[in-house]
Amino acid sequence: MTAVYSLVVLAARPPDWSHDRFIAWWRGEHAEVTRALPGLRSWRHLAVDAALEPRSEGWDGMSVLSFATADDLTSALASPQWAAAVAHVGAMRGRRIAVMGEEAELFSATAAESQPT
């Protein structure tokens, strides 16, 4: 298995934006700026449509931006492309949680299906 180092961003829209407007912006014009990050291997996005429980409410989307190594992510965060992505967000007034770490795949239906029984 190839190691992957990812930046995970959980975000909530600005108070004066609708959920649909925020997701369209994130997947549209913001993605156009952000996908230019050097070393970016993959980018997955989840539009939150329900919270599991009340304490998890209030979030609109999550992005997982994956890189080959922690050094690759560090380089991307120091790049002019990252500066452009941050500038594009500007003073939007939404909330976010941003964390980084190495991923570990704990289950894959594809891998499980190929195992002998």
Side-chain angles (χ1 to χ4, degrees):
M1 180 173 111
T2 303
V4 175
Y5 199 84
S6 295
L7 169 64
V8 179
V9 180
L10 183 65
R13 67 186 179 269
D16 55 335
W17 284 30
S18 71
H19 172 79
D20 290 342
R21 177 182 176 193
F22 184 58
I23 296 302
W25 171 86
W26 198 343
R27 291 181 173 180
E29 66 179 80
H30 188 60
E32 289 299 320
V33 175
T34 306
R35 71 172 44 104
L37 287 173
L40 183 64
R41 290 181 49 189
S42 69
W43 181 5
R44 293 177 309 286
H45 184 263
L46 168 83
V48 174
D49 61 14
L52 179 64
E53 55 199 8
R55 70 180 182 170
S56 299
E57 292 175 350
W59 299 101
D60 290 283
M62 183 183 76
S63 275
V64 179
L65 293 91
S66 297
F67 298 81
T69 66
D71 287 343
D72 287 348
L73 173 55
T74 299
S75 293
L77 296 176
S79 72
Q81 293 88 340
W82 177 256
V86 170
H88 186 252
V89 171
M92 185 178 279
R93 299 176 332 278
R95 297 178 302 129
R96 77 168 189 194
I97 295 172
V99 295
M100 302 171 280
E102 187 173 68
E103 290 187 29
E105 185 173 283
L106 303 179
F107 175 80
S108 169
T110 304
E113 290 167 358
S114 65
Q115 297 294 319
T117 54

